[in-house]
Amino acid sequence: MYENCDALALRRYPFSETSYVLTLFTREFGRVDALAKGARRRRNPLFGHFDFLAYEEITLFRRPRSGLDLATAAAFYSDFPRLRSVPARFAAAGIFAEILLAACQPSDPHRVLFDDLLATLRHLDAGGNIFTTATAGLLLMLRELGFAPRLHECVNCGATNVARAFLSPSRGGLVCENCAAAAPEFLLSRLDLARLRGEADGDARTLRTLKHYAEYVLGRELVSFHLFFRLMPRG
Ligand SMILES: [Zn+2]
């Protein structure tokens, strides 16, 4: 059965002399693995498509039993040219792709996540503050994946307006000074907290704290942060 979908290309491997195996994140079907036959041939209509993070309308011939659909047609919506031309912006987008690849399974659509991610990429493409956009985008992703940190009261005792707050990955959000216990818990200044809540522009320190949080809840190191922080050492 042929179906059209809106897709972001997450990964593309050469397969045979002429084809690619793709991993797509689609609005309609979530993660999709697909074979793009002939897409490495210059005269093929699929040539030049499925570049990393290209946003395209893709026609799939669905093959649920094989686990590998066929991508039979593609038309660009956007390939985010400005995002692509600034390495730090591109690296920030790479963090989101890594998380999607780690957290999304086939046949598990996440429409809100797709639209949030698209909005984040557009914002990066339009020149938005990189740390602020990356922080907000990461928090949106964590929320949609069910890992949003609670940032408005101590997750242990419920205290609000805490003087010294810590971000606790293992407890899923803020803890106050009285409830803070074992490492790894990360001290947050009032400004850090405002940054996490989207009330102030982001910076490197807050994003690093959020990286540790995301790595804990996702259960894996997020290696694309290394490149990002090499390109963007300061806030
Ligand atoms: Zn507390």
Side-chain angles (χ1 to χ4, degrees):
M1 178 169 60
Y2 287 94
E3 296 198 79
N4 284 350
C5 61
D6 292 346
L8 289 159
L10 297 184
R11 203 161 55 183
R12 182 177 79 171
Y13 289 128
F15 178 79
S16 79
E17 296 271 296
T18 59
S19 303
Y20 284 117
V21 170
L22 314 172
T23 301
L24 307 170
F25 183 53
T26 71
R27 179 182 279 120
E28 291 79 359
F29 314 117
R31 177 180 173 155
V32 169
D33 295 310
L35 181 64
K37 283 186 181 169
R40 300 180 64 201
R41 277 191 207 279
R42 197 163 280 278
R43 288 198 195 136
N44 190 288
L46 297 178
F47 183 81
H49 288 272
F50 319 118
D51 211 359
F52 181 58
L53 290 177
Y55 174 40
E56 311 199 50
E57 182 180 32
I58 295 179
T59 305
L60 297 172
F61 182 72
R62 309 232 56 205
R63 300 193 302 180
R65 283 197 200 150
S66 83
L68 195 63
D69 294 350
L70 298 178
T72 59
F76 282 110
Y77 291 121
S78 173
D79 65 351
F80 306 113
R82 278 167 294 179
L83 183 159
R84 220 168 269 284
S85 67
V86 180
R89 291 182 184 275
F90 200 49
I95 295 167
F96 303 130
E98 183 180 6
I99 293 174
L100 285 175
L101 286 167
C104 292
Q105 302 304 318
S107 308
D108 180 21
H110 285 278
R111 278 175 182 265
V112 176
L113 179 57
F114 185 93
D115 289 329
D116 285 346
L117 177 65
L118 200 56
T120 301
L121 295 177
R122 285 181 171 140
H123 207 64
L124 281 172
D125 192 51
N129 178 298
I130 297 182
F131 283 118
T132 305
T133 309
T135 301
L138 194 51
L139 283 165
L140 284 172
M141 291 192 83
L142 290 171
R143 187 183 70 195
E144 285 311 313
L145 294 169
F147 298 120
R150 286 167 58 193
L151 295 172
H152 290 275
E153 72 283 317
C154 171
V155 294
N156 197 49
C157 73
T160 55
N161 197 21
V162 291
R164 271 162 62 86
F166 296 77
L167 184 66
S168 171
S170 62
R171 294 194 268 182
L174 287 192
V175 288
C176 70
E177 194 171 17
N178 293 334
C179 298
E185 291 182 344
F186 301 93
L187 179 63
L188 301 172
S189 68
R190 283 194 185 274
L191 184 55
D192 294 336
L193 194 50
R195 286 172 165 143
L196 286 177
R197 289 172 176 168
E199 297 158 358
D201 273 344
D203 73 336
R205 175 187 149 87
T206 316
L207 192 59
R208 274 184 203 279
T209 302
L210 200 54
K211 163 190 182 286
H212 292 303
Y213 183 92
E215 288 179 334
Y216 181 92
V217 298
L218 295 169
R220 60 189 296 149
E221 191 187 1
L222 295 170
V223 296
S224 36
F225 272 104
H226 296 314
L227 175 62
F228 176 77
F229 282 118
R230 258 207 312 275
L231 296 166
M232 286 289 289
R234 289 179 304 280

